[in-house]
Every structure is written in C-alpha cells, then in structure tokens.
C-alpha cells in the first residue's frame, strides 16, 4: 500500500506543534537543508543587517512558578525535556529553573502553552 501525499498532509495536520518542530529538525538534519526563509538584502543593506542582528532567534524557557497542579507540571516537564521523574521533580520544585535553552520562538511558545495549561507559569527570555 503506497502512502499518498494526502496521507502525509493529514498526518502532519494532526501533529502537535512540538512534534512538528521535532519532525522539521530531523528533516533538516537528514537532508542537510534549512527550513528558514532566505533573507533578501535590499538597497538599504546596513539597516536590514542591523535589524536582523537585533532579532533574537534562540530563547530560554524558564519555569517561574508551579501553581496548584505540581504533578501535572512535573509530567509536562518530563515530556518536554525527557528527564527522569526525580530530575523533573527537582527542576519543578526548584523554580525558577530553566526548562530548555536555545529553542526557537515557536518551540518556546509551544512549551509555554503546555506548561501553562498544566498550571505552571513560564517566562521566555
């Protein structure tokens, strides 16, 4: 049975943002490409270059507080980081702590949403 283009599109449409981010990274590594759009330099080159240099591309996700649902937050931290139960519990109980460093803006937003839905508070730097 051959997989059709529609099957692939439906599969991707049902993925979470975090799963999609991981898939994109794996495809970039496998094929040696980047999904980032090319940056066009206009006639005002120095102005565009300065604006691009100021734009932050890597973010740190910091757990600032746990809230009332500590167990749910621990489960989300484990899912996001891949830590063991004890390590995730120590991270959550030691808030404020960095959950992930050097992630993209989209991935940071997805992590923030996951942890906030579980009852924790997140800060993105």
């Amino acid at each position: 049975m051959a997989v059709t283009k529609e099957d692939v599109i439906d599969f991707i449409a049902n993925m979470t943002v975090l799963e999609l981010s991981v898939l994109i990274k794996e495809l970039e590594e496998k094929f040696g490409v980047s999904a980032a759009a090319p940056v066009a330099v206009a006639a005002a080159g120095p102005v565009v270059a300065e604006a691009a240099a100021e734009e932050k591309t890597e973010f740190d996700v910091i757990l600032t507080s746990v809230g009332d649902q500590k167990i749910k937050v621990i489960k989300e931290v484990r899912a996001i980081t891949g830590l063991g139960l004890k390590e995730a519990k120590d991270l959550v109980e030691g808030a404020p702590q960095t959950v992930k460093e050097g992630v993209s803006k989209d991935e940071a937003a997805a992590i923030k949403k996951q942890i906030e839905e579980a009852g924790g508070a997140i800060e993105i730097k």
Side-chain angles (χ1 to χ4, degrees):
M1 180 174 143
V3 177
T4 65
K5 185 170 42 171
E6 288 79 23
D7 293 336
V8 174
I9 292 171
D10 289 340
F11 179 76
I12 292 172
N14 292 321
M15 297 177 92
T16 65
V17 175
L18 192 56
E19 291 171 333
L20 184 58
S21 174
V22 170
L23 175 65
I24 291 169
K25 285 181 185 176
E26 289 175 1
L27 290 172
E28 287 175 343
E29 289 174 8
K30 178 165 179 82
F31 297 108
V33 296
S34 175
V39 178
V41 178
V47 175
V48 173
E50 288 176 19
E54 292 176 12
E55 186 176 333
K56 193 170 182 179
T57 58
E58 292 186 346
F59 298 87
D60 295 341
V61 181
I62 301 167
L63 177 67
T64 56
S65 72
V66 179
D68 296 338
Q69 304 289 330
K70 183 167 79 171
I71 294 173
K72 287 183 181 179
V73 175
I74 292 171
K75 286 180 180 180
E76 290 300 326
V77 168
R78 286 188 70 203
I80 292 166
T81 62
L83 293 173
L85 180 60
K86 182 179 181 337
E87 292 83 5
K89 182 178 180 270
D90 291 344
L91 188 146
V92 168
E93 289 178 344
Q97 291 277 351
T98 302
V99 176
K100 263 197 158 179
E101 295 179 333
V103 296
S104 68
K105 186 176 185 178
D106 292 338
E107 186 176 356
I111 292 170
K112 180 178 181 179
K113 181 181 177 198
Q114 280 182 291
I115 292 181
E116 286 180 346
E117 285 177 355
I122 289 291
E123 179 180 330
I124 298 176
K125 289 187 177 182

